[in-house]
Amino acid sequence: MRSFGGVVAVDGASVAVPSGELHGLIGPNGAGKSTLFHLISGYLRADRGQVIFAGRRVERLPPHARARLGISIAFQAVRLFRGMTVLENVMVGAHSWTRHGLLDAALRLPLHGREEAEIREQAASALERVGLLHLAARPAESLPLGQQRCVQVARALCGRPRVLLLDEPASGLRWAERGSLSELLAQLRAEGLAILLVEHDVRFVTGLASAITVMDRGRVIAAGAPDEIRRDPAVIAAYLGRERASA
Amino acid sequence: MSLFLQYLAAGIATGSTFALVATGFVVIYRVTGVINFAQGVFAVLGGFLAYSLLHAGVAHGLAEGLAVAVTAAIGLAFGLVALGRRGTPPLASLIVTLGLAIFSYAVVITIWGDNPISYEGLSGLLAVGGVSMQRQYVLIVAAAVATFLALALFFGRTYLGMALTACSSDQRAARLMGIDVWRMGLLAFAVGGALGGLAGVLLTPLQPVEFDSDVGIAVNGFAAAIFGGLVRPATAFAGGLVLGVAEAMVAGYFRSSYETAIALAVMLGLMLWQASRRGPTEE
């Protein structure tokens, strides 16, 4: 549970994502999707409730410690590091698994160099997976927003995640780019990654997810397989219906 | 004319030390969001430490190097106290740095007393194109430029530097990438301590320092840092040089008691001009 001032953003919501599964989280604007998402990443702290990762309670851990356990995130609002190239941005993602601390960097330079080469390689392959390796040397902020989203996904992948949290990664992407993103997500799922996907586009999610949780006004109003969700009257009333009416 | 060139040389030399102090402000501010009011203290401590080491018979070069290493450690210690627990707001840390600066007066007076100290730097003159200047000036400028280039390489090219840059660009995002922003802040304080200490060991042969010299040094360094919006090291460095030259000119042609006031007025004018040209800055 988390409230902002007197406004309860998320209450009594529960999501479980086993590895090798892509879990969709949908709901209208202001439903609490992003809040729930950030309670998992550690960006926000829950007032009450638990976050359990690989059998371990992590809700009291600071965000960097959660990242080190294998929780990686791509933001809804693009947050790349300015003044750095695309490749360097992705390399920063590797901080969640690199061991070197301040002293390592100062005293064990040869090892540091080897690890740095490994990081660079890993970052390049993450960029290749999102199809942006050819832009590696460009300043990150010079890319169109859609591609910046993909760089965020690459940065998250470079962190060798066990759980990947993606907040509307497909928004702002062109049709073909959406297709390749959904292929990539299917691949990652097959590789055993647990993925939690927050998405506005219901069709995009239902094609990929093995389970979907629907939120509205901070509460879970439905959960289940994509087909069940599509037929759920509460969901149609709260969300799909509204979208159909506006479409 | 040659008088002008001599003032210019002196100005560039003192300006280089301001630039080092300014860079310290920028490094710490960018990574932690804290304006470190104790930045001038590092310079004072650097000067006193080098003074004591030289008097204990340690060779030139080694003494200064050791003093800088110790100020780096002091910077780390200040960072530990000022940053406190994770999540301490930068404004609280700022007040703590002010307290540390005042506390350091007591420490300096207890150890070294309240008399100004100085020691001999590089002696002798160097003639360049008909202008003779003190070799210490040349040393200061060379050391400052080399340090600045090394820092640029560190921040731009090393993985650790990238992490620091990431922290200064977006702390919360950096945290979610697994970067321990608190430890990066400590590192920034250590770098800031070394930069201040270096400025101190270079400056002391030119201007005697005493326990409260940190105010003058920090005001100049801070003005230079503000010139770069507290976030742009290169502009801050240039700001330091401008300030140094302006002060040397005022002291040379007018009165030395007005040097800081007039130099700061020049700085203010430049900043107004900068702001009117660019419009409101976003950083």
Side-chain angles (χ1 to χ4, degrees):
Chain A
M1 193 274 252
R2 167 76 199 214
S3 60
F4 297 102
V7 182
V8 177
V10 176
D11 192 9
S14 167
V15 186
V17 192
S19 58
E21 189 174 292
L22 189 148
H23 194 107
L25 185 59
I26 63 175
N29 282 330
K33 307 184 293 283
S34 294
T35 304
L36 180 61
F37 192 81
H38 281 305
L39 293 176
I40 301 171
S41 74
Y43 189 83
L44 294 170
R45 239 176 214 209
D47 303 325
R48 277 205 310 275
Q50 302 180 359
V51 182
I52 298 168
F53 176 78
R56 183 177 164 193
R57 299 264 305 258
V58 299
E59 71 270 5
R60 291 280 150 221
L61 289 183
H64 71 267
R66 295 193 207 186
R68 290 195 154 258
L69 288 176
I71 303 179
S72 268
I73 178 173
F75 301 93
Q76 178 186 16
V78 174
R79 294 176 77 167
L80 293 178
F81 301 118
R82 290 155 56 102
M84 294 168 104
T85 66
V86 168
L87 183 71
E88 287 169 349
N89 259 281
V90 177
M91 286 175 74
V92 169
H95 264 280
S96 55
W97 54 268
T98 48
R99 288 174 316 279
H100 65 242
L102 308 183
L103 278 178
D104 287 321
L107 302 177
R108 288 152 66 197
L109 282 169
L111 177 107
H112 187 62
R114 218 177 310 140
E115 194 171 43
E116 197 165 319
E118 191 188 343
I119 294 165
R120 202 169 281 274
E121 213 166 277
Q122 182 103 26
S125 82
L127 269 177
E128 191 161 29
R129 295 197 83 167
V130 301
L132 292 179
L133 188 56
H134 59 292
L135 299 174
R138 291 266 296 275
E141 60 261 36
S142 73
L143 265 49
L145 212 58
Q147 289 184 336
Q148 291 195 21
R149 281 221 164 74
C150 290
V151 174
Q152 290 202 125
V153 173
R155 184 172 68 181
L157 286 179
C158 193
R160 295 184 181 164
R162 296 168 68 186
V163 177
L164 188 59
L165 305 174
L166 302 172
D167 198 345
E168 304 204 11
S171 69
L173 293 192
R174 272 169 283 164
W175 192 249
E177 292 171 330
R178 274 167 177 258
S180 38
L181 178 65
S182 96
E183 264 170 47
L184 172 64
L185 294 182
Q187 266 175 34
L188 292 170
R189 186 187 54 191
E191 286 167 22
L193 207 62
I195 304 173
L196 181 66
L197 178 68
V198 173
E199 191 46 72
H200 223 70
D201 182 349
V202 182
R203 238 170 294 166
F204 187 84
V205 186
T206 47
L208 282 166
S210 40
I212 289 181
T213 298
V214 188
M215 292 183 72
D216 191 23
R217 288 175 204 144
R219 290 174 184 280
V220 172
I221 58 168
D227 285 345
E228 298 166 34
I229 295 297
R230 273 194 214 261
R231 290 193 299 267
D232 191 304
V235 177
I236 293 168
Y239 185 42
L240 300 174
R242 224 179 289 169
E243 195 156 83
R244 218 167 276 164
S246 65
Chain B
M1 191 60 193
S2 88
L3 202 59
F4 172 79
L5 288 176
Q6 272 170 25
Y7 293 153
L8 187 66
I12 290 175
T14 42
S16 296
T17 63
F18 298 160
L20 286 172
V21 176
T23 310
F25 270 114
V26 171
V27 168
I28 292 176
Y29 179 77
R30 274 176 53 122
V31 177
T32 65
V34 176
I35 295 169
N36 174 30
F37 271 121
Q39 190 63 30
V41 169
F42 300 144
V44 170
L45 290 175
F48 274 100
L49 286 164
Y51 169 81
S52 287
L53 286 166
L54 287 169
H55 274 256
V58 180
H60 261 298
L62 184 61
E64 282 88 345
L66 282 172
V68 171
V70 174
T71 54
I74 293 170
L76 185 71
F78 276 26
L80 269 173
V81 178
L83 295 177
R85 293 177 46 219
R86 288 168 205 275
T88 303
L91 276 178
S93 301
L94 180 152
I95 297 300
V96 173
T97 64
L98 194 60
L100 284 169
I102 293 164
F103 171 70
S104 75
Y105 288 2
V107 173
V108 171
I109 292 173
T110 308
I111 301 177
W112 289 284
D114 57 359
N115 290 320
I117 56 107
S118 186
Y119 49 83
E120 209 180 341
L122 268 189
S123 56
L125 298 173
L126 196 72
V128 180
V131 187
S132 61
M133 53 183 139
Q134 293 184 35
R135 288 171 65 182
Q136 178 74 12
Y137 290 174
V138 182
L139 172 72
I140 290 176
V141 175
V145 170
T147 305
F148 191 75
L149 292 179
L151 270 184
L153 280 177
F154 171 65
F155 276 93
R157 293 269 178 276
T158 68
Y159 193 56
L160 191 59
M162 276 180 216
L164 287 165
T165 309
C167 291
S168 59
S169 164
D170 188 336
Q171 267 209 23
R172 304 190 74 177
R175 206 169 271 152
L176 288 166
M177 300 301 129
I179 297 177
D180 188 341
V181 173
W182 184 77
R183 281 177 67 191
M184 291 295 158
L186 291 184
L187 176 63
F189 263 90
V191 172
L195 286 167
L198 181 63
V201 300
L202 291 169
L203 191 64
T204 307
L206 298 184
Q207 304 176 355
V209 293
E210 52 192 318
F211 68 95
D212 62 354
S213 300
D214 71 296
V215 177
I217 295 169
V219 164
N220 283 306
F222 185 65
I226 282 283
F227 191 56
L230 273 176
V231 290
R232 286 180 294 277
T235 322
F237 198 86
L241 293 180
V242 169
L243 257 182
V245 170
E247 291 189 7
M249 294 298 165
V250 171
Y253 288 113
F254 193 47
R255 281 164 72 166
S256 62
S257 51
Y258 290 148
E259 62 176 12
T260 305
I262 293 183
L264 289 178
V266 168
M267 212 63 181
L268 190 61
L270 275 175
M271 277 191 273
L272 286 172
W273 171 70
Q274 213 183 17
S276 69
R277 223 173 36 130
R278 259 211 312 259
T281 48
E282 41 175 338
E283 280 162 324

